[in-house]
Amino acid sequence: MMDERLESLIYLLQRNAIADPRVLAAMRDIPRDFFIEAANLKPLAYADEALPIECGQTISQPYIVAYMTERLNVQRKHDVLEIGTGSGYQTAILSRLARHVYTIEIHEELHRLAVGRFKALGLDNITALCGDGSKGWPEHRLFDRILVTAGVSAAPPDLVGQLGPCGAMVIPLGKTSSQRIALVARAETRVDYQSLIPVRFVPLL
């Protein structure tokens, strides 16, 4: 039954122009229901909708996970910084594509649950911290890709500053009622912004 629901979801993603075979393969490989604790919500794991999780947060709609991942264009050689681990589902998807994923979550409970899930699934290319993600990774370093899974009015300067040469960041920008996904790309001495689709994310804390 789950296979049927998963294949229906993959078909829906393809119908909605998610075309990268690596992203689709990652969505197939990572069991979304494993990242949902509430038993009454597990049957909805493969519906294309956001669902509530602990600490008043959400696990993002699968289409948005796939869309943001595809726009980030993660390659196997890349180190990725994720701001907002949440349930860990998006982190796990990224781990299938990147060399290593560094992820920060401000809520201790979410951090603890996500780390347990990573271990249970054998995802050994993830380093997870509990802390303030708006400041970026605590140790000064550059990342090939950055993904932010919470909304902000403007891209935090500390995150932009951790973009490496030719680096890219996908981030929801704007007020909660009028957010849009933005692609932030570093090109030599400048940083370019491209506005993409409208979304609604919880605010970055």
Side-chain angles (χ1 to χ4, degrees), residues 34-191:
F34 191 70
F35 294 82
I36 299 170
E37 290 290 306
N40 64 312
L41 294 178
K42 282 185 178 289
L44 300 175
Y46 296 98
D48 190 29
E49 59 183 276
L51 297 171
I53 58 172
E54 296 74 22
C55 302
Q57 304 300 296
T58 59
I59 180 172
S60 293
Q61 175 189 358
Y63 171 72
I64 295 299
V65 171
Y67 181 88
M68 293 177 72
T69 303
E70 189 171 67
R71 294 303 174 275
L72 200 60
N73 189 26
V74 178
Q75 304 298 317
R76 180 51 67 184
K77 64 183 179 180
H78 287 160
D79 287 339
V80 178
L81 173 62
E82 180 193 39
I83 305 302
T85 314
S87 70
Y89 178 63
Q90 173 73 82
T91 322
I93 296 294
L94 292 171
S95 77
R96 289 293 198 216
L97 304 172
R99 174 168 56 192
H100 201 92
V101 180
Y102 298 80
T103 183
I104 307 177
E105 172 55 52
I106 198 167
H107 296 286
E108 171 61 33
E109 181 182 4
L110 291 179
H111 166 75
R112 176 178 54 80
L113 288 170
V115 167
R117 292 167 185 146
F118 302 151
K119 289 180 179 177
L121 291 174
L123 303 176
D124 57 6
N125 64 333
I126 297 172
T127 300
L129 288 182
C130 186
D132 180 3
S134 69
K135 302 297 183 182
W137 196 251
E139 300 171 10
H140 180 69
R141 57 158 298 168
L142 300 179
F143 292 91
D144 303 294
R145 299 289 186 266
I146 299 176
L147 182 70
V148 182
T149 63
V152 289
S153 58
D158 289 331
L159 295 184
V160 176
Q162 288 196 323
L163 276 177
C166 301
M169 174 166 59
V170 169
I171 180 171
L173 293 182
K175 297 179 180 178
T176 303
S177 59
S178 58
Q179 292 173 352
R180 298 188 76 89
I181 296 293
L183 176 63
V184 183
R186 181 177 294 284
E188 297 180 354
T189 59
R190 71 179 193 275
V191 177

